[in-house]
C-alpha cells in the first residue's frame, strides 16, 4: 500500500525526522511513500513564509534508504492565483517525483484559522474557498494532483466540523473536476479528515463524479505530520478507490503509475 502525502521536520509544521516517518511506514505495512513537504508563501505577509530549504531537503532525503520501502521525493505546493513563477522556480531547483497542488490561503487568510471564518456562514466560506480553488487551477499547469479538495472541512475553526457537501456546490465542484480532467491532473483522497470531520478529503461523491467526468489519476495520502498518523485509514481509502476506480496511482519522475487494487 502507499502513502503519497506526508511531512517530516523538513516542513515547518512537521514533528518527526524523515527516518522516523519512514520507519512508521514500514510498521504500517506500506510499500511506497512520498515525502511532500510544504512550499507555501503567505500572500499577505501576515504569517511566516511556509517553505522548506532545498539544501535541507536534499540532505534529509537524497540518501534516505529503508529496506523494503520505496521512498519518493515530492512537495506540496500552495497554489495562489499569481504564484506560477514561484512554482516554476522550485521545479528548476531540483527534480521531484510528485507535486501536490493545494489551496491553503484565500484572500490572504490561512483557511485553517479563525480569521478566515469571521463574518461568513459555513456556506459562504465553502463557496469562497472553492471559487478560489477553481481560479488557481485554471491558472496553474505544473502540478500533478489536487490535494485534499475539501481541506476546509477539517479546520479546527469550522463551526460545525462537517464535510463540504458535494450537492451544495455541485456546479462549481464539477467545474473544478472538469478543469483537472482537461489538464490531465489527478485527485487525491486524503485520509486526514476521517477523525476531524468524519470523512475523507474529498468524500466518495467527489471521487465518483471525477471518474464520471473522465478523471483517471487518483492518489492516496495520510497528510501525516507526525509518525503515528503515517498510513492512517489507508485500507479504508484503498477499498473505496477499488470500488470506484479499481486502482490507485503512485508517481515516479512526475509520471503516474497505476496499481490494481
Amino acid at each position: 500500500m502507499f502513502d503519497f502525502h506526508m511531512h517530516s521536520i523538513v516542513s515547518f509544521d512537521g514533528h518527526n525526522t524523515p527516518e522516523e516517518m519512514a520507519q512508521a511506514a514500514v510498521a504500517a505495512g506500506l510499500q511506497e511513500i512520498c515525502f511532500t513537504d510544504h512550499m507555501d508563501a503567505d500572500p499577505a505577509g501576515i504569517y511566516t513564509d511556509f517553505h522548506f530549504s532545498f539544501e535541507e531537503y536534499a540532505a534529509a532525503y537524497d540518501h534516505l534508504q529503508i529496506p523494503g520501502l520505496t521512498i519518493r521525493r515530492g512537495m506540496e505546493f500552495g497554489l495562489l492565483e499569481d504564484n506560477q513563477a514561484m512554482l516554476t522556480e522550485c521545479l528548476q531547483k531540483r527534480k521531484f517525483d510528485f507535486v501536490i497542488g493545494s489551496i491553503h490561503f484565500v484572500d490572504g487568510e490561512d483557511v485553517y484559522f479563525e480569521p478566515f471564518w469571521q463574518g461568513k456562514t459555513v456556506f459562504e466560506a465553502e463557496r469562497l474557498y472553492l471559487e478560489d480553488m477553481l481560479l488557481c487551477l485554471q491558472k496553474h499547469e505544473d502540478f500533478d494532483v489536487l490535494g485534499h479538495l475539501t481541506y476546509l472541512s477539517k479546520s479546527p475553526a469550522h463551526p460545525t466540523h462537517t464535510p463540504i457537501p458535494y450537492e451544495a456546490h455541485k456546479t462549481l465542484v464539477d467545474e473544478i473536476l472538469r478543469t483537472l480532467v482537461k489538464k490531465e491532473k489527478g485527485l487525491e483522497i486524503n485520509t486526514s479528515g476521517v477523525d476531524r470531520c468524519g470523512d475523507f478529503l474529498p468524500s466518495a461523491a467527489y471521487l465518483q463524479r471525477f471518474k464520471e467526468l473522465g478523471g483517471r489519476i487518483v492518489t492516496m495520502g495520510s497528510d501525516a505530520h507526525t509518525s503515528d498518523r503515517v498510513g492512517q485509514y489507508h485500507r479504508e481509502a484503498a477499498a473505496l478507490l477499488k470500488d470506484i476506480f479499481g486502482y490507485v496511482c503512485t508517481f515516479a519522475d512526475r509520471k503516474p503509475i497505476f496499481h490494481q487494487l
Side-chain angles (χ1 to χ4, degrees), residues 161-205:
H161 303 288
T162 52
I164 299 177
Y166 167 73
E167 288 296 335
H169 305 278
K170 183 180 186 300
T171 301
L172 180 54
V173 171
D174 280 0
E175 191 59 31
I176 288 170
L177 298 177
R178 286 191 182 95
T179 301
L180 293 175
V181 172
K182 180 180 178 181
K183 296 191 174 192
E184 299 184 330
K185 306 301 182 184
L187 184 63
E188 174 194 60
I189 179 171
N190 186 298
T191 65
S192 67
V194 173
D195 55 6
R196 295 175 184 176
C197 69
D199 211 337
F200 296 119
L201 309 174
S203 60

Side-chain angles (χ1 to χ4, degrees), residues 13 36 39 108 128 160 178 193 217 223 228 259:
D13 54 356
T36 54
M39 183 60 71
L128 186 62
T160 61
R178 286 191 182 95
I217 299 169
D223 208 348
D228 61 309
H259 303 269

